[in-house]
Each structure stands twice: as C-alpha cells, then as structure tokens.
Amino acid sequence: MIEFWSYKRELRKHKKEIHLNIKKTLNSGQIFFGKEINKLERNFIKKYKSKYAIAVGSGTDALLISLKSLGIKQGDEVITAANTAIPTISAIRSVGAIPKLVDIGDDYLIDTSQIKKVINKKTKAIIPVHLYGQSCNMDEINKISKEYKLKIIEDCAQSQGSKYKNKFCGTIGDTGCFSFYPTKILGAYGDGGLILTNNPTLYKKIRRIRFYGIETTDKKNFFYKQYYACEEGINSRIDEIQSSILNFKLSKVDQWISRRRQIANIYLKNLSSTNLILPRQNKYSFHVYHLFTVYHPKRNKLMSYLKKKLIETRVIYPYPIHKMTAYKKIFFSNKYLKNSESKSKGIFCLPLYPEMTDAEVLRVCNTIKNIMIKFRL
Ligand SMILES: Cc1ncc(COP(=O)(O)O)c(C=O)c1O
C-alpha cells in the first residue's frame, strides 16, 4: 500500500531523537513558555530572515490573531482565494469580517487580475494563500495593497520554505502565518502555528493577543502587570513538547524540501506523456511541493482504480468555499469564480512525502499510465 501520507515512517527514522526531546522537555519543569518556544521563534527569525516570530496554537489562530492585531473587525471585508482551506475563511469570520472571494488562475493561486473587482470602501486586507507549496504573485498583490491601503496577511500554511523571487513566503506581507499541523512541511505531532512580522508594534500586540491580552515583555511599559489584561486577547499557546519536536525537525526541513522537489520532478518527467494536467511552477517562485496536485476530467474513476491498486490519493479541496452550506449565505454572487468551481471537480493529489522511495513514486506513475491505457482515460 502506498499511503497518501503517514508520519510513521518519519517517526521510525527519527524515533531516538524525538523521544529524547520529549523526555528532556518533560524533565525541564516547563510545560508552556519555556526554552523551546523561545528557541523555535529564534530559529524561525534566523532561518526565514524576519525580525520577529510569535509561536501560537495553530495556523488558524495565526490568521485570526494577525487579523485582530491589524484591527480587522466586524463589517470589514477581507479578500482571499475561493479555493482556500476552510480555516482561512473561519479566521476572517471569527473577527466578524466578511470574506470576499476571488477566482484562481491555472496555478491554483489567486488571480491577481481579478482582485480590484471586489475592492470597495469596506475592504481592509488581502490574504494571499500560497497553496500547495507555491507563492502567489506578490509584486502584483503589493502594488494593489499600496494603491488601496490594504493590509497583507500571508497564509503560508502550505508553503513553509517557499519563496517569491528571493524572499521567503511569510516575510513579504504585514504578517506571515504558518501551520504545524502534522501533514505540513514542518509538522508537529499535534497542533501548532507561528506568525512572522517585521513590525515591532504588531509583534508586541500579537504577543499580548496570544496570551489573554497580558503584556509579557516590555517591563518598562505602563501596562506590564501580571494577571492584567491590557487588551482583549485569547489563549493560543504551543506547548514545550511540540516546540522541542519542531526545533529538531526544523534542522531537517531543507533536506526534506529538496526531497519533495526531487519526487515532484520524477512525477513531472514520468507523467508528461499522459493527459493529466500537471502542476505549473511559476518562474518567480520556489515551489516546495507540499502537495502534488493534478487535474483530470475523470478524476473519480482514476482515483478509484488507483485505490484498487493500493495507491491512496486525495482531493484537496473538493468544494470551493462559496459552495459550502456554512458560507453559501455570505456569497450572493459567484459569477467570477468559474475556475475555482471547474478545477475543484477535476483535481486530486498524488502521494508525496520525503520518506517515499523512488521505486514507489515510479510505481504511482506506471500504474497511472497503465490505468489510462486500459480504461481509455
Ligand atoms: C491554506 C491553509 N490555511 C490555514 C490552515 C490552518 O492551519 P491549522 O490546521 O494549523 O489551524 C491550513 C491547514 O489545514 C491550510 O491548509
């Protein structure tokens, strides 16, 4: 069986180090806000060349806290892509704002030529979602944000380590939001997230919001008091055990990204003769292949034949946001979202994770080719 994803191979390979980190952290006497979270934040600052990093409870929280810290509130509008993960939208809704959806291009990323159509006086921010491991067109998004004075919150949940030109995703907007959900490029063995920013005022505000609104750093500040909320915050902590696992895994992440790119190249080379539509890598971006997403009009058939041959695939995501019961009422018009709708009906993802062997990747390719010939797909 070639599983779509499993952490077990990774764990088997690094069991000793991971168990050692868990044991060491448990014995440290600190469950939260100890050495490991500080180290994680310092590691991110150094690795991704950002001024500040704030680790939080999840990728969803990273988006929600970013929105709150930028003052996005009830009635404001926030632009994002129609094919994003549900949490991008739930974060916007959690601050009472209204998501404005924009269609996607052939690269599955927000079509920047469509953004201006949804801007009005209520528009306050854009959340470009660097989906599947590839950066959105940030020059275009920056230009629009300057012209209309919009904040930019980068959703980097699927794109840790990817770049737009020579800059890391997450360091271009006002904030960059990362997820450590286990399947991600850098996954915890539980939940976690992180925010990058270069703005010192935002940094302080984000730190307060993640911890009930309490000032924890600036001892000279008038507000510095224990058990005293100087603004409304939430609880969004990542624990020391998860942070220690992430610190260990971060030392491997570049190596894992190289392996992801190698696997993607095997797929690209060996599937180029089929009628699958393969992922497009934009010239300006460094793709980290969180997911290898292909398109075929008879996707469901293809996926079920692959399952019979013991190859797991998955549709990420099968429904655009405006088609879901929870959000239908918010979106009156979807006439600009044709691409998101049509692509969601034919996309599916092939297994891709660093521990896959070349032989397994080739088996996926050959099985697809054989199925296509046999069933004339
Ligand atoms: C694009 C995108 N944004 C946000 C999130 C939310 O991250 P988390 O699951 O850590 O809350 C995810 C994770 O599934 C995601 O893929």
Side-chain angles (χ1 to χ4, degrees):
M1 174 71 150
I2 301 182
E3 288 175 296
F4 182 71
W5 176 81
S6 165
Y7 66 85
K8 288 199 176 156
R9 284 191 194 188
E10 175 195 278
L11 183 60
R12 235 177 276 136
K13 206 165 168 188
H14 301 292
K15 201 171 178 172
K16 210 171 114 201
E17 296 96 325
I18 286 171
H19 282 206
L20 209 70
N21 270 299
I22 294 173
K23 203 168 148 192
K24 185 187 76 187
T25 311
L26 272 177
N27 286 333
S28 75
Q30 285 176 312
I31 306 279
F32 286 115
F33 295 128
K35 272 191 201 150
E36 295 295 333
I37 188 174
N38 290 336
K39 193 170 158 194
L40 180 64
E41 292 173 345
R42 278 199 313 273
N43 281 340
F44 260 73
I45 289 170
K46 200 166 157 209
K47 193 166 185 59
Y48 298 115
K49 298 175 178 52
S50 174
K51 287 206 176 114
Y52 306 101
I54 311 96
V56 294
S58 68
T60 313
D61 278 0
L63 291 164
L64 162 64
I65 295 172
S66 291
L67 287 158
K68 265 180 175 296
S69 70
L70 286 162
I72 311 297
K73 56 181 188 321
Q74 183 90 28
D76 290 343
E77 291 188 1
V78 179
I79 294 170
T80 194
N83 66 337
T84 189
I86 299 166
T88 318
I89 305 300
S90 66
I92 298 171
R93 294 299 295 147
S94 295
V95 297
I98 299 157
K100 282 290 187 171
L101 301 181
V102 170
D103 209 3
I104 52 166
D106 289 337
D107 52 4
Y108 304 110
L109 301 168
I110 193 165
D111 179 351
T112 52
S113 71
Q114 307 283 323
I115 292 178
K116 285 189 184 177
K117 286 183 187 167
V118 296
I119 295 179
N120 61 49
K121 279 186 186 153
K122 292 183 193 163
T123 314
K124 294 287 161 18
I126 307 182
I127 305 186
V129 182
H130 305 307
L131 205 71
Y132 303 149
Q134 172 161 239
S135 169
C136 300
N137 186 338
M138 292 309 291
D139 277 350
E140 284 305 311
I141 290 168
N142 274 335
K143 235 190 269 168
I144 295 168
S145 110
K146 278 207 177 84
E147 189 179 342
Y148 293 91
K149 296 192 173 45
L150 306 177
K151 302 294 182 193
I152 300 177
I153 298 162
E154 291 177 75
D155 185 337
C156 309
Q158 300 195 4
S159 61
Q160 182 172 337
S162 68
K163 283 181 186 170
Y164 177 75
K165 296 186 174 167
N166 59 350
K167 280 194 162 175
F168 282 109
C169 286
T171 63
I172 304 162
D174 292 279
T175 67
C177 301
F178 295 81
S179 162
F180 302 135
Y181 183 72
T183 58
K184 302 297 195 234
I185 298 281
L186 177 68
Y189 290 162
D191 268 321
L194 185 136
I195 304 169
L196 291 180
T197 184
N198 287 316
N199 178 326
T201 313
L202 265 187
Y203 164 67
K204 286 184 184 167
K205 203 167 169 59
I206 290 168
R207 280 189 64 119
R208 289 194 293 268
I209 293 174
R210 84 164 166 190
F211 188 53
Y212 314 129
I214 298 173
E215 180 67 65
T216 56
T217 44
D218 191 354
K219 295 192 179 175
K220 286 182 199 138
N221 190 310
F222 167 73
F223 283 124
Y224 185 81
K225 286 177 193 156
Q226 256 193 329
Y227 307 118
Y228 179 89
C230 48
E231 65 183 290
E232 285 187 289
I234 60 170
N235 163 21
S236 184
R237 308 185 272 240
I238 181 168
D239 63 66
E240 285 291 288
I241 292 177
Q242 294 304 337
S243 302
S244 76
I245 293 170
L246 290 168
N247 280 323
F248 164 69
K249 287 181 70 175
L250 195 59
S251 66
K252 306 272 171 210
V253 87
D254 289 343
Q255 199 178 309
W256 288 337
I257 289 172
S258 302
R259 178 65 189 147
R260 282 179 178 276
R261 287 168 54 83
Q262 256 175 14
I263 294 172
N265 280 329
I266 301 177
Y267 276 141
L268 289 168
K269 189 171 155 211
N270 286 277
L271 295 172
S272 63
S273 57
T274 69
N275 60 1
L276 278 177
I277 298 180
L278 300 173
R280 189 180 96 189
Q281 185 171 325
N282 292 321
K283 277 199 194 104
Y284 51 67
S285 74
F286 178 76
H287 202 321
V288 293
Y289 288 101
H290 167 57
L291 291 165
F292 193 90
T293 307
V294 295
Y295 177 94
H296 194 278
K298 294 193 177 146
R299 157 200 74 202
N300 293 349
K301 271 195 180 156
L302 198 42
M303 285 177 75
S304 64
Y305 288 131
L306 282 166
K307 196 173 172 192
K308 282 186 195 140
K309 295 285 178 190
L310 303 180
I311 295 170
E312 271 185 354
T313 55
R314 214 170 274 176
V315 182
I316 300 172
Y317 297 104
Y319 309 104
I321 298 296
H322 60 286
K323 291 287 175 188
M324 297 184 198
T325 305
Y327 298 115
K328 267 182 192 165
K329 60 181 184 297
I330 306 170
F331 304 107
F332 308 109
S333 156
N334 48 14
K335 62 183 175 207
Y336 297 119
L337 306 172
K338 290 210 166 69
N339 242 354
S340 310
E341 285 180 30
S342 64
K343 287 192 190 308
S344 69
K345 291 180 187 133
I347 51 163
F348 67 108
C349 304
L350 304 182
L352 193 163
Y353 39 94
E355 299 76 28
M356 275 181 88
T357 63
D358 284 5
E360 285 174 319
V361 185
L362 288 169
R363 198 184 121 208
V364 177
C365 296
N366 292 332
T367 312
I368 290 175
K369 285 184 194 163
N370 291 338
I371 287 170
M372 283 181 155
I373 293 168
K374 188 167 175 195
F375 299 100
R376 297 168 191 244
L377 291 176

